[in-house]
């Protein structure tokens, strides 16, 4: 075993019995690296990254709650207008459940990153992956209504969420991709659903709905871009 000191803090490690763990200068002296099995350092670095990103994810989740609820209320109202009442209730119930669990996780977030346990990390990431599919599901509902206007509104909703996810979590690459992968699969379900239905242009009222969806898409895109500054401040403060 080789001992090297000092080194860059992000790769610093020390031994507590048989277990290696990462630490930063100020714990009990200069940063020290003890070269051990590579798997130890890969695991510890990954866990450190997940802990840090989980804190920022919960910050973003709480920050954007009102915007998400308002946008989702509008798109579910469009789905209700299209006649998909049962799907609206189910989707709204799933979203409500995930938001409550996310708030529960936020209330139990420790002050220090190294105190964030793996169960809390997994809960946050699973809940947000489920909520991603739930928030995208109105696009699937609208794609199956047989109206070109509603189909376009569904795609606009999907693209708006893609923009929101990619821009909001651009500084959190692991989390970003963990959200985009289920989003891509949901988009494939939406495309398949649309391919199974014959579409007609739709009445003027549905095209007015499409115009409203376009307004929401534009405002959400602008707001998401503006919020990147807040995300960067949270990263710098963490």
């Amino acid at each position: 075993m080789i001992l090297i000191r000092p080194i860059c803090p992000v790769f610093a490690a020390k031994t507590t019995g048989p277990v290696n763990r990462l630490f930063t200068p100020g714990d009990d002296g200069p940063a020290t690296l003890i070269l051990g099995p590579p798997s130890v350092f890969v695991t510890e670095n990954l866990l450190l990254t997940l802990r840090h990103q989980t804190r920022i994810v919960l910050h973003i989740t709480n920050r954007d709650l009102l915007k998400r609820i308002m946008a989702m209320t509008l798109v579910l109202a469009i789905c209700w207008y299209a006649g998909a009442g049962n799907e609206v209730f189910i989707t709204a119930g799933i979203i409500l459940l995930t938001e409550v669990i996310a708030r529960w996780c936020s209330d139990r977030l420790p002050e220090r990153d190294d105190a964030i346990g793996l169960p809390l990390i997994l809960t946050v990431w699973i809940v947000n992956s489920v909520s991603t599919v739930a928030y995208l599901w109105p696009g699937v509902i609208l794609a199956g209504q047989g109206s070109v206007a509603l189909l376009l509104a569904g795609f606009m909703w999907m693209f708006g969420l893609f923009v929101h996810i990619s821009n909001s979590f651009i500084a959190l690459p692991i989390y970003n991709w963990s959200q985009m992968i289920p989003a891509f699969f949901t988009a494939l379900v939406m495309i398949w659903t649309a391919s199974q239905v014959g579409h007609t242009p739709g009445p003027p009222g549905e095209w007015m709905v499409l115009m409203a969806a376009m307004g929401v898409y534009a405002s959400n895109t602008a707001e998401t871009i503006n919020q990147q500054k807040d995300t960067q401040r949270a990263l710098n403060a963490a």
Side-chain angles (χ1 to χ4, degrees):
M1 184 173 290
I2 304 173
L3 181 66
I4 303 175
R5 59 188 300 148
I7 63 165
C8 178
V10 72
F11 295 111
K14 67 181 179 181
T15 300
T16 53
V19 181
N20 290 327
R21 71 176 181 87
L22 299 181
F23 79 110
T24 57
D27 269 340
D28 52 7
T32 303
L33 171 63
I34 300 175
L35 297 181
S39 59
V40 171
F41 297 101
V42 171
T43 302
E44 292 290 352
N45 273 301
L46 178 59
L47 185 57
L48 181 65
T49 301
L50 291 176
R51 285 169 170 164
H52 182 66
Q53 292 196 12
T54 297
R55 179 178 301 280
I56 308 303
V57 164
L58 285 173
H59 168 77
I60 296 172
T61 300
N62 292 332
R63 181 195 70 194
D64 295 342
L65 176 60
L66 181 60
K67 180 174 71 173
R68 289 196 309 274
I69 296 300
M70 291 178 63
M72 196 62 182
T73 300
L74 175 61
V75 76
L76 287 179
I78 295 174
C79 293
W80 181 276
Y81 167 79
N86 291 336
E87 293 92 336
V88 167
F89 280 118
I90 294 172
T91 304
I94 294 173
I95 288 173
L96 179 61
L97 178 62
T98 57
E99 293 293 355
V100 169
I101 296 176
R103 174 61 66 175
W104 180 87
C105 291
S106 181
D107 290 342
R108 282 154 182 78
L109 186 68
E111 293 184 0
R112 300 189 345 263
D113 284 357
D114 59 5
I116 301 176
L118 187 58
L120 182 62
I121 294 173
L122 292 176
T123 301
V124 170
W125 288 50
I126 291 172
V127 164
N128 279 278
S129 295
V130 172
S131 69
T132 295
V133 175
Y135 273 100
L136 280 166
W137 203 254
V140 178
I141 296 173
L142 294 175
Q145 299 307 310
S147 165
V148 173
L150 294 180
L151 174 64
L152 292 175
F155 274 109
M156 199 168 296
W157 173 255
M158 180 186 68
F159 292 144
L161 282 180
F162 278 14
V163 170
H164 173 74
I165 293 171
S166 59
N167 284 338
S168 295
F169 304 106
I170 192 170
L172 311 171
I174 298 177
Y175 183 82
N176 194 5
W177 278 107
S178 74
Q179 298 300 94
M180 292 304 293
I181 290 173
F184 287 143
F185 278 111
T186 308
L188 290 176
V189 173
M190 179 180 175
I191 293 171
W192 180 85
T193 301
S195 71
Q196 304 302 304
V197 181
H199 290 81
T200 58
E206 292 180 354
W207 289 94
M208 293 181 66
V209 165
L210 177 60
M211 292 293 292
M214 181 63 196
V216 172
Y217 174 82
S219 62
N220 178 72
T221 301
E223 178 67 14
T224 300
I225 293 174
N226 289 335
Q227 291 289 6
Q228 286 189 29
K229 295 179 181 179
D230 175 75
T231 301
Q232 192 59 52
R233 284 195 297 269
L235 281 168
N236 294 336

